[in-house]
Amino acid sequence: MTLNDITVGALDRLDRGHDAQTLEMWRDKLTMFANDALTDLAHAIKPVRTEKALISLDGTIDANAFERDCIGIVSITAYGRDVPFVECGTSGVFKVKAEGSVAVTYAYVPKRLSSPSDVPELPERFHPLIVIYVVARERMSGDISTQKGFAAHMRLYETMKAEMLKKSGSADAYGFINRW
């Protein structure tokens, strides 16, 4: 589902047209709401990716230099083995007991949507939730007559998110990785 599909879906649910002029008029506001949904879902789902990183001379890795916004480090691997690490405060810097290059697996917030052809970096089954969230936020920001639909849409969003999260992962997919 692209950002354009999300916008059209939200406008449909809001009973507004989705011709070119209407899309252009609502694009910025609904894109902002879609990006808020991405952030909320990322904190719930915690998608992961792996990047190579160089350890500085003082034995640290700066998570702020990663391609995506880091929510938390899952594991750090050097020479095929997990290495211990500890977070140094809240600055996004991690102390590592290794040297050179390492592979860092971390939970992240997906890249923000901006172009109509952008696709959210979340599993596809979560994309319809973005539409529901966008509708809820637009209902909340409207006049008094449209605000009553906000609670129902937000409740639907939270319920569906909780159900989908229950079905994510498997019993053997959990464990303690960082044992420092």
Side-chain angles (χ1 to χ4, degrees):
M1 183 177 273
T2 64
L3 176 58
N4 195 61
D5 296 334
I6 292 166
T7 305
V8 168
L11 288 171
D12 260 353
R13 289 190 92 148
L14 291 163
D15 293 325
R16 299 190 177 127
H18 49 79
D19 56 89
Q21 185 179 3
T22 306
L23 276 171
E24 193 55 41
M25 184 173 78
W26 288 97
R27 186 173 316 282
D28 290 342
K29 186 176 187 182
L30 299 185
T31 297
M32 179 183 68
F33 294 156
N35 283 319
D36 290 347
L38 269 180
T39 301
D40 180 65
L41 288 169
H43 283 278
I45 300 166
K46 295 185 177 48
V48 296
R49 62 183 285 130
T50 302
E51 285 185 32
K52 293 283 185 196
L54 287 174
I55 300 172
S56 66
L57 294 175
D58 62 353
T60 60
I61 295 175
D62 185 4
N64 299 312
F66 294 156
E67 289 182 24
R68 302 288 184 270
D69 291 338
C70 177
I71 297 173
I73 302 287
V74 175
S75 67
I76 299 176
T77 307
Y79 310 112
R81 298 179 56 169
D82 286 344
V83 294
F85 62 92
V86 65
E87 187 170 8
C88 303
T90 58
S91 64
V93 175
F94 292 84
K95 189 88 168 155
V96 181
K97 290 209 173 201
E99 294 176 357
S101 179
V102 293
V104 180
T105 302
Y106 65 98
Y108 67 96
V109 174
K111 184 174 68 170
R112 297 184 64 77
L113 303 172
S114 59
S115 169
S117 62
D118 286 351
V119 177
E121 293 178 333
L122 292 175
E124 197 169 321
R125 69 181 183 277
F126 289 97
H127 293 185
L129 287 177
I130 299 170
V131 175
I132 295 168
Y133 183 91
V134 169
V135 171
R137 287 286 303 275
E138 175 52 27
R139 292 255 188 234
M140 182 174 69
S141 67
D143 62 26
I144 262 320
S145 64
T146 62
Q147 284 182 352
K148 54 186 155 189
F150 155 72
H153 279 88
M154 194 52 84
R155 206 170 22 255
L156 176 63
Y157 169 78
E158 292 295 342
T159 301
M160 287 179 68
K161 180 173 75 170
E163 284 300 312
M164 289 178 152
L165 289 173
K166 277 189 218 173
K167 297 174 184 170
S168 296
S170 62
D172 63 347
Y174 306 99
F176 293 104
I177 296 174
N178 185 12
R179 296 175 290 226
W180 189 4

